Each structure stands twice: as structure tokens, then as C-alpha cells.
Amino acid sequence: MAALITDRELNLATLARQFLLRRAEVSALDAIEHLAGLQAQAPNPPYLALWARLKNFAAEDLSTLVEKRQVVRLVAMRGTVFALSAADAGPFRATVQTIMERDLHTNSTQRAALTGLDLDALAQAGRDLVADGPLTQMQMRPLLAERFPGHAAEGLAHGVRGLLPMVQVPPRGLWGRSGAPALTTLENWLGAEVSSTPDPDAMVLRYLAAFGPASVKDAQAWSGLTRLAEVFERLRPGLINFVNAKGAEVFDLPDAPRPNSGTPPVRILAPFDNILLSHADRSRIMDEQYRTRVFTVNGIIKPAILVRGKVVGFATVTPAKETVELSATLFAQQPKTALGSIEKEARSLLKFMHPKISTREVRFAVAT
């Protein structure tokens, strides 16, 4: 019979693997690979995620990786943009490609433009258009409309993005710089063929290394894939299993860290931080009653504040010309020692985000 694993043990295990139990002394590239990518639909969250997890992280560490094409930004798990290592981008995208293909037939806004279309021809048209250089979707639209008259240009560009692994090239994704996402194929950007073979077994193992112990439903929530039970069954002989407090079976790698004691430090997570999005049951990191306060109705996920490993509030950063302020909105009053730790972490974050602004304010409020 599988042993019981408590919510606290799940919390500590996941925090340890996420480098949130203590900041890690590893390179940004090694961290991104260990974490199986970083949520990156906006330019800055990957930087803030690494700042929260690594010792002595500097923004240029990641910007350099993006410029040198060692880290790429493309649509992957859950059909959203991730920052992935160049080595992981092809295999991960190939494994979750079915998510994008399903969207082409179910997206209520774009599917009409793709109905009756030869999707292989559309994919080839997309490759042809970016052969001479990256293009934004706005630039692609009229060119695709010329090739496929009678089909909405916006839907055609959406189709290309779903059919092909398209990289958002710099300056998009560089710290302190941005611009509209210009796209080219992953093969073009890396100058090499990339894997197109799905490998869900390898992906599940990577997931467990970064987020475990976890259930089948947890892995499905992280990846966006379905029917992963059969994958876990194939892997079962090499895994260990537990039962959580709710009676669900969770799996893990035999040699993965599972500390059973310790006090997690205060951390301020990145917006859209992947630790909040990678389990069907988020109770190990956040009580369900707080989810709607951190996850907004328009899809924004606020920078969560962790105290003793659990979400206790969220942060809002407001820069001005001479002052930058972080407002910490707490869901309940915290002890003075926790407030002091939050303020210290907040000031460090403000220095990282706005090093040229010397006046940094931290304010607290308790949500009603």
C-alpha cells in the first residue's frame, strides 16, 4: 500500500525542486532546463522567475542567452509562450503539438478561416514567408491572404503559428527592450533540424523532476495534454508512488528531493509564475479561497507572495520617475517577522527591477 504524503511534504518537495526553498547557485540556462521552461507570454516574467530562484542572477544573463539563441520563446505547454532551452524547444513542442492542432479546429474565433483549407499547404506557405527573415503576424496576414483568397487573414496567421514551432525573436524577450513579436521557424532560428517526434514519457519525467510529486491530473494541467494515465502506467516500474491527503495517487522519481522539515523563506514570485499553474490541485502552494484574488478574470496572474511556502498575498510594483513602490496586499495580517522579511525581499526585487531609481518604498495593505 502506498505511503501517505502530507500537503506540507508536497509543499517542501516542490519548493526544493523549484529553487524556492533556497536560491540555487546554477546558471540561468541550467535553471531553465531543470525547471522545464519558464512561463513567458510577457517579456519580463522569466527574468523575475529566475531572480526569485537563483543567487546572483543578473538580467543580462538571460538576455544574452536569448540573443545567442540558447534560449528561445515559443508556444509550447498549455498552448502558451514559454522560454525554453534550444535543446528542449523542439522535443517539448513536438510533444504538445496536438494542443495547437486541436485549437485549429476548436478555436471559435479563428476556425472558420481554416475550414476546408489544406493545412500542409498553409504550413509550407508560413515556412516560405519567413525564409528570408522574421515577420510579425501583422506582416504575415496580407501575404497569406494573397495565397489563400477567401480566407480571413487573421485566421491564416493564427494557423501558421499553430502548425509550426515559431520563435519570437529578439528584441522581444530582452530585458528593458521589447517590440511586437517577430516570428521565424525554430529550424531557421537555430540553423538546424529540430525533433518532430513526440516523447511524452520523457516530458513526464522532466515534469516530475521540476514539480513533483504529482498526479496524472497535475501533469495534464501543466502540459495541457490529455490521456497521460497510460504514460504514467508505462513509467510506473521506475517511479515511486504515494497517496496524498485527499486520497489521490501521486508519483515521483525515486531520487528526487523530498525534505520533511524546514521553514521556507519569503519569496515574491513572478507574474504568471509556473509554480501556480502546474498542478490541478494547487493546495500545496495556494489555498483555493485565494485563487480568484491572484488569478484575475482577464487572464493576469499577479506576483504572489509566499510566506512559509504558501501564497499569502500579491505584489504590485508602481514605478515613477524618482520613486518606485511595491504594494504588498496580504490576505490576512502576518507576524512582524514575516512583514520584515517581505519588506527585505521587496526592496531587493525593486533594486533588481529598477536599479537606477534610488528611492524605493514598500507599503502593506490587508485585503478585506
Side-chain angles (χ1 to χ4, degrees):
M1 184 175 178
L4 173 69
I5 188 166
T6 66
D7 286 346
R8 188 60 176 162
E9 289 169 332
L10 287 172
N11 172 267
L12 290 172
T14 304
L15 291 174
R17 295 170 209 197
Q18 285 286 304
F19 302 146
L20 292 169
L21 204 54
R22 58 185 59 85
R23 283 185 165 95
E25 296 185 74
V26 301
S27 70
L29 182 60
D30 286 345
I32 290 169
E33 291 198 333
H34 169 76
L35 296 167
L38 299 170
Q39 195 88 0
Q41 61 263 60
N44 286 346
Y47 292 86
L48 302 180
L50 290 175
W51 171 84
R53 289 165 166 84
L54 301 184
K55 283 187 177 181
N56 304 315
F57 172 70
E60 57 264 28
D61 296 343
L62 178 53
S63 285
T64 298
L65 292 171
V66 174
E67 289 183 303
K68 290 186 174 181
R69 311 187 187 196
Q70 293 175 278
V71 168
V72 297
R73 296 164 50 87
L74 81 169
V75 175
M77 287 73 75
R78 302 189 298 276
T80 194
V81 178
F82 270 74
L84 289 163
S85 73
D88 283 340
F92 276 33
R93 172 59 187 249
T95 302
V96 299
Q97 178 60 31
T98 54
I99 298 171
M100 275 59 78
E101 293 174 358
R102 183 169 63 244
D103 174 76
L104 300 183
H105 301 288
T106 60
N107 187 300
S108 59
T109 304
Q110 310 295 353
R111 65 185 177 189
L114 303 173
T115 300
L117 199 64
D118 183 338
L119 296 182
D120 288 338
L122 178 60
Q124 187 57 53
R127 292 188 190 93
D128 294 342
L129 290 181
V130 298
D132 294 327
L135 296 173
T136 67
Q137 286 203 309
M138 288 296 292
Q139 292 169 327
M140 287 184 193
R141 288 176 186 176
L143 302 174
L144 289 168
E146 288 180 9
R147 297 193 181 205
F148 302 95
H151 295 267
E154 182 179 352
L156 294 171
H158 177 81
V160 168
R161 181 174 177 267
L163 291 166
L164 301 174
M166 302 290 278
V167 175
Q168 294 185 359
V169 306
R172 185 72 171 180
L174 300 182
W175 184 254
R177 300 171 62 189
S178 192
L183 306 171
T184 191
T185 64
L186 181 60
E187 284 191 348
N188 283 352
W189 190 243
L190 298 182
E193 291 186 13
V194 297
S195 172
S196 59
T197 303
D199 191 349
D201 294 33
M203 176 172 275
V204 163
L205 294 175
R206 294 285 299 280
Y207 167 72
L208 291 175
F211 295 97
S215 68
V216 173
K217 288 183 178 179
D218 290 332
Q220 292 178 165
W222 168 77
S223 64
L225 295 170
T226 58
R227 301 178 64 181
L228 288 183
E230 57 193 59
V231 175
F232 276 85
E233 286 304 316
R234 283 198 301 270
L235 295 173
R236 184 183 287 273
L239 301 176
I240 59 175
N241 64 324
F242 303 92
V243 175
N244 68 16
K246 296 178 181 178
E249 185 178 31
V250 295
F251 297 85
D252 206 5
L253 306 176
D255 57 352
R258 284 180 296 277
N260 55 22
S261 63
T263 302
V266 165
R267 289 289 181 262
I268 301 174
L269 301 180
F272 306 100
D273 199 290
N274 215 18
I275 197 173
L276 301 179
L277 294 162
S278 298
H279 300 90
D281 179 358
R282 300 186 181 95
S283 60
R284 73 180 67 192
I285 191 78
M286 178 172 62
D287 293 340
E288 180 60 25
Q289 62 181 316
Y290 301 139
R291 185 182 63 81
T292 56
R293 299 189 183 189
V294 177
F295 292 57
T296 68
V297 293
N298 59 354
I300 301 299
I301 301 175
K302 301 172 185 175
I305 299 170
L306 300 184
V307 173
R308 299 182 65 86
K310 297 293 289 286
V311 175
V312 301
F314 60 85
T316 305
V317 176
T318 307
K321 187 174 182 179
E322 297 180 354
T323 302
V324 60
E325 178 180 300
L326 185 145
S327 297
T329 301
L330 305 175
F331 303 140
Q333 187 62 54
Q334 298 295 315
K336 287 185 179 180
T337 53
L339 295 178
S341 296
I342 293 171
E343 179 170 357
K344 181 180 179 181
E345 190 78 351
R347 291 189 180 279
S348 179
L349 173 59
L350 293 178
K351 183 178 180 180
F352 172 79
M353 294 180 69
H354 300 281
K356 295 182 180 180
I357 300 179
S358 58
T359 303
R360 306 178 185 107
E361 301 289 345
V362 179
R363 302 187 187 280
F364 291 95
V366 177
T368 57

